[in-house]
Amino acid sequence: MQLVNFLLNNLLDVHIASLVLFHCWPRNETLQMVKHFHNSYHKQLIYHQFVHFKSVENFENLEERFLEHLQPTLAIYVDMKCEKSKILLTMANENQLYNQHYHWLLHDIENSSNFYSFVAPFQLSIDADISYIREVAIDNSSTLSYKLYDVYNNGQHIGGKLNMTAAYQIDCNRRVCNGKQYLSSLHLRTKYGNREQLNDVTLRVSTVVTQRPTNWPAEWLLRFLSQENETHIDGIARFGFQLSLILKDLLKCNMDFNFVDRWSISDTIGGSVGAVVDKTADLGSAPCLATEGRLQYLSAIIETGYFRSVCMFRTPHNAGIRGDVFLQPFSRLVWYIFAAILSTIALLLWLIFYLECKRMPRFWNLEYAPSLLNTFLVSFGAACIQSSALIPQSTGGRLVYLVLFLISFIMYNYYTSVVVSSLLSSPIKSKIKTLEDLAESSLQVGLEPLSFTKSYLNYSNRPEVHTFKKRKIESQSKNSHLWLPAEQGVLKVRDNPGYVYVFESSSGYAYVEKYYTAQQICDLNEVLFRPEQLLYTCLHRNSTYKELIRLRFLRILETGIYRKQRNYWAHMKLHCFAQNFVINVGMEYVAPLFFMLLCAILLAIVVLLLELAWQHYRHTNGNKNNPPPP
């Protein structure tokens, strides 16, 4: 009864309602315990299962046979006085069952030093939930005293030592448990608050370095990753390394950095990701993409980065000529109605001039009535805000003139405001908006030699990526300038409008800000090479450090250290300050006007020549028909 009271008290403290008991008690004692579970003063309902050691021949498939559960945590009681108890605990160690999903209660009456020597070789973990219980009888009473120890290891495989800390002592009689006495300060902190420092372990960290040879001495590589200048060189890798150093300080542990030249060869093989997947590394320093394939083996702990790969180019000056900018202020219907109004007014003016000349001669001071062509020219000139020497003298005619100039004034002001704002706004942008459009274009392409870019081209399932690779990459397989360093590629984009360079924005934007003027930055076009994605710090799904490292990274986020480091190491977008400079109107806008002017001049010359030829013809024929007198 004392033991049942203790178990109920313990399960109530940790909020667990499912219990498996491995024991070797007589049948009558087991029945008494079952009865006491149901008649206890505790109101908590406990689902319990008794497993007698004699009924178990072996403990193969231990978890599937006895411990399979759907609860967040299952409590397991083991009576260590039983003969097979150590076999059970050894098998649990081999199956790596000492983790946060099981609450182990190991009941013993022997000296704790024997238990320490037995458990010390076990692969216990920092997230293990193991309580060692020492039972001590109090003389001349039915009260039993239970002393509970918290047992864990920071990582036996990486140098951790077994830690046994006395938590509390509680006295239980046949009815209740009381008199809890705390033996340490464990109760003042959370589970991971007690285990937040890993002084005795050396975490294995797989460290990515893409811009320096990985066969360099470790001291040189560590010096390169620790430097804070030239943030555009290996920006993501160095950003992740800086976060690893902060994590190291918070955990008070050592770190063994193993250098690799890529995140992975395929999705989960090779590189930093592959080392975490096959458990040769406890942590990857550089954050990585949480793809579907990787999440089968890894857990994304927390967002620690941002990945943006773009295709950047300037709009070609000899392409994209836009004559439609001069027609855009009005729709076709408006232009048609405006032309109809001008034509109607031209006809009305011709009629007015004719009537003034023939019916009202006292108002007319010209020797002839203007032709219909002249009135059309007057109407069109008014639309272009040009005056006219022909002015009606009658009141009605002048009212028509007033209406003509008023309509022309309103239309002209609206038209010029729209055209000027269009011409003096941000520079013309290319119509290439997607990777598929880029693949179909005739623009030349260059790429930054990054391992994840090459991997994406080879393993992506997106059809537009396959098209881009076939038309832009495979067609230039013999081009030695296809893969260019970021600095050279960015400069080539600046000096060769229409040249496309594919790079990672966190590193390439630094060169853009260094070498480009504000006007050139506004002239840039960007096409996403791959969808924008977040980067995560990933650990193995079965890693015992997941919760601890997540809490430490949350602390880094809360204090603002992460934001400071990210703003320093990662450039995510460019800013166009168009109001700080005067935008010149280029030939892509003015060329149509020059072409129209040239056509008009040629047409005028042709008409003039035809008129001269006609006059010459008439003069020649006239002389033949009327010869001079003798």
Side-chain angles (χ1 to χ4, degrees):
M1 292 183 182
Q2 293 91 330
L3 178 60
V4 172
N5 289 334
F6 171 77
L7 292 177
L8 291 172
N9 185 278
N10 182 269
L11 296 180
L12 184 64
D13 285 344
V14 296
H15 307 289
I16 297 177
S18 300
L19 173 65
V20 177
L21 299 97
F22 290 91
H23 65 94
C24 55
W25 307 320
R27 179 178 178 82
N28 60 333
E29 291 186 9
T30 305
L31 293 176
Q32 284 185 347
M33 290 195 69
V34 172
K35 183 178 179 180
H36 194 61
F37 265 115
H38 294 285
N39 298 332
S40 171
Y41 72 95
H42 289 284
K43 301 303 180 183
Q44 182 182 10
L45 180 61
I46 300 296
Y47 298 92
H48 51 272
Q49 175 185 355
F50 289 82
V51 180
H52 201 289
F53 277 113
K54 288 185 178 180
S55 64
V56 182
E57 295 183 1
N58 59 70
F59 293 98
E60 293 181 359
N61 301 320
L62 174 64
E63 189 172 20
E64 291 79 4
R65 292 169 59 192
F66 303 106
L67 307 180
E68 188 172 356
H69 65 99
L70 299 177
Q71 303 299 320
T73 307
L74 174 67
I76 305 173
Y77 170 85
V78 180
D79 188 351
M80 296 194 64
K81 299 187 297 295
C82 300
E83 182 178 356
K84 294 184 178 181
S85 61
K86 293 187 177 181
I87 301 176
L88 168 66
L89 297 179
T90 302
M91 184 61 66
N93 174 60
E94 294 177 359
N95 294 336
Q96 299 181 357
L97 299 182
Y98 298 117
N99 54 52
Q100 59 183 336
H101 301 297
Y102 297 101
H103 176 65
W104 292 86
L105 298 169
L106 309 182
H107 184 198
D108 198 3
I109 58 175
E110 297 182 1
N111 193 306
S112 59
S113 59
N114 296 332
F115 175 80
Y116 186 96
S117 59
F118 170 68
V119 177
F122 282 10
Q123 292 285 353
L124 303 185
S125 59
I126 195 170
D127 67 340
D129 187 0
I130 304 174
S131 296
Y132 174 67
I133 305 164
R134 286 278 318 282
E135 177 186 321
V136 179
I138 300 178
D139 296 337
N140 301 324
S141 81
S142 61
T143 302
L144 294 177
S145 179
Y146 296 95
K147 182 182 290 187
L148 187 142
Y149 295 82
D150 181 35
V151 182
Y152 70 95
N153 193 319
N154 287 334
Q156 196 266 349
H157 62 292
I158 53 176
K161 305 297 181 183
L162 184 65
N163 187 301
M164 289 183 60
T165 305
Y168 63 85
Q169 180 175 340
I170 188 170
D171 299 333
C172 298
N173 55 35
R174 293 179 178 272
R175 295 192 58 197
V176 296
C177 290
N178 49 36
K180 179 183 288 188
Q181 178 183 0
Y182 292 107
L183 304 177
S184 66
S185 59
L186 289 181
H187 64 286
L188 300 177
R189 298 180 296 274
T190 63
K191 171 183 175 180
Y192 289 100
N194 289 314
R195 307 177 185 186
E196 63 182 356
Q197 295 185 359
L198 309 178
N199 306 81
D200 55 345
V201 302
T202 301
L203 290 179
R204 301 165 299 173
V205 181
S206 184
T207 309
V208 177
V209 182
T210 63
Q211 300 299 319
R212 295 292 184 270
T214 54
N215 57 2
W216 274 13
E219 296 79 7
W220 295 10
L221 293 174
L222 290 175
R223 189 182 306 116
F224 162 71
L225 294 172
S226 302
Q227 290 175 351
E228 297 185 355
N229 58 340
E230 297 182 335
T231 58
H232 53 279
I233 301 177
D234 246 351
I236 294 180
R238 294 167 70 186
F239 169 54
F241 178 78
Q242 295 294 330
L243 292 180
S244 298
L245 294 182
I246 298 172
L247 181 65
K248 175 183 177 182
D249 292 337
L250 291 176
L251 296 177
K252 305 295 182 183
C253 67
N254 295 317
M255 286 187 174
D256 180 20
F257 296 98
N258 180 34
F259 301 99
V260 293
D261 61 351
R262 65 192 65 197
W263 272 259
S264 64
I265 297 175
S266 64
D267 210 17
T268 57
I269 298 175
S272 174
V273 174
V276 178
V277 169
D278 60 25
K279 295 185 179 182
T280 57
D282 303 302
L283 175 68
S285 67
C288 65
L289 295 173
T291 62
E292 181 179 357
R294 290 175 178 176
L295 290 179
Q296 296 179 9
Y297 305 94
L298 305 177
S299 293
I301 302 301
I302 195 169
E303 173 199 339
T304 49
Y306 191 77
F307 183 74
R308 190 168 186 267
S309 187
V310 298
C311 309
M312 187 181 72
F313 61 98
R314 295 180 65 190
T315 306
H317 297 309
N318 58 349
I321 292 178
R322 296 180 58 187
D324 60 336
V325 69
F326 298 101
L327 301 176
Q328 283 179 350
F330 302 124
S331 66
R332 291 184 179 181
L333 180 61
V334 174
W335 282 117
Y336 293 152
I337 293 176
F338 187 44
I341 292 174
L342 293 178
S343 301
T344 303
I345 292 177
L347 290 172
L348 187 59
L349 286 175
W350 175 79
L351 179 61
I352 289 172
F353 281 126
Y354 178 80
L355 293 175
E356 285 184 354
C357 181
K358 301 298 183 181
R359 304 293 183 182
M360 296 180 292
R362 72 179 189 275
F363 293 109
W364 189 245
N365 56 8
L366 292 179
E367 298 179 355
Y368 64 94
S371 66
L372 186 61
L373 177 60
N374 283 339
T375 57
F376 268 94
L377 289 176
V378 170
S379 179
F380 181 75
C384 299
I385 313 299
Q386 301 297 319
S387 61
S388 173
L390 298 176
I391 300 175
Q393 297 299 316
S394 63
T395 303
R398 294 191 176 191
L399 287 176
V400 172
Y401 243 48
L402 179 63
V403 171
L404 173 62
F405 281 102
L406 182 60
I407 293 175
S408 300
F409 174 77
I410 295 174
M411 296 287 287
Y412 177 80
N413 278 277
Y414 180 82
Y415 176 82
T416 53
S417 62
V418 174
V419 170
V420 170
S421 63
S422 299
L423 294 177
L424 298 184
S425 62
S426 58
I428 183 173
K429 295 295 184 180
S430 172
K431 294 183 179 180
I432 299 175
K433 302 298 182 183
T434 64
L435 190 64
E436 186 176 3
D437 295 338
L438 182 59
E440 298 290 343
S441 71
S442 59
L443 302 182
Q444 184 183 0
V445 172
L447 302 95
E448 185 179 7
L450 299 173
S451 56
F452 46 78
T453 299
K454 298 177 182 179
S455 177
Y456 182 68
L457 288 171
N458 292 328
Y459 296 103
S460 175
N461 295 323
R462 296 172 60 195
E464 58 268 31
V465 177
H466 293 172
T467 304
F468 178 82
K469 178 185 176 184
K470 181 178 180 180
R471 299 193 177 185
K472 298 297 183 182
I473 308 301
E474 295 178 355
S475 61
Q476 301 186 67
S477 58
K478 298 182 180 180
N479 183 5
S480 59
H481 300 289
L482 175 62
W483 300 92
L484 292 175
E487 185 172 11
Q488 296 182 24
V490 169
L491 289 174
K492 193 169 183 180
V493 170
R494 184 196 66 180
D495 300 332
N496 298 276
Y499 175 79
V500 183
Y501 185 64
V502 182
F503 64 98
E504 206 282 314
S505 61
S506 65
S507 59
Y509 280 170
Y511 291 115
V512 175
E513 294 173 349
K514 179 179 179 181
Y515 293 116
Y516 283 54
T517 64
Q519 184 170 355
Q520 290 171 337
I521 290 177
C522 291
D523 190 33
L524 290 173
N525 298 273
E526 286 187 357
V527 174
L528 284 178
F529 179 63
R530 60 191 301 168
E532 298 179 359
Q533 292 178 288
L534 297 175
L535 298 176
Y536 296 87
T537 294
C538 295
L539 274 71
H540 196 278
R541 295 191 64 178
N542 296 326
S543 174
T544 61
Y545 301 101
K546 286 194 301 186
E547 185 64 17
L548 178 64
I549 291 179
R550 186 185 69 84
L551 293 173
R552 295 301 94 197
F553 269 117
L554 282 176
R555 181 59 179 166
I556 294 174
L557 289 173
E558 291 171 351
T559 55
I561 298 176
Y562 167 76
R563 180 178 293 274
K564 177 183 177 181
Q565 291 288 335
R566 175 175 169 176
N567 291 340
Y568 182 77
W569 288 99
H571 300 260
M572 294 302 167
K573 64 179 180 178
L574 295 171
H575 299 281
C576 172
F577 301 100
Q579 66 274 16
N580 293 340
F581 56 87
V582 177
I583 297 178
N584 298 321
V585 179
M587 285 298 296
E588 62 271 9
Y589 292 113
V590 182
L593 296 182
F594 290 160
F595 181 74
M596 291 168 59
L597 179 61
L598 179 61
C599 291
I601 293 174
L602 293 176
L603 180 62
I605 293 174
V606 170
V607 172
L608 177 61
L609 293 175
L610 290 175
E611 288 182 338
L612 292 174
W614 175 251
Q615 291 296 328
H616 178 72
Y617 174 76
R618 289 184 61 186
H619 179 72
T620 303
N621 289 343
N623 290 338
K624 289 181 179 180
N625 296 332
N626 300 304

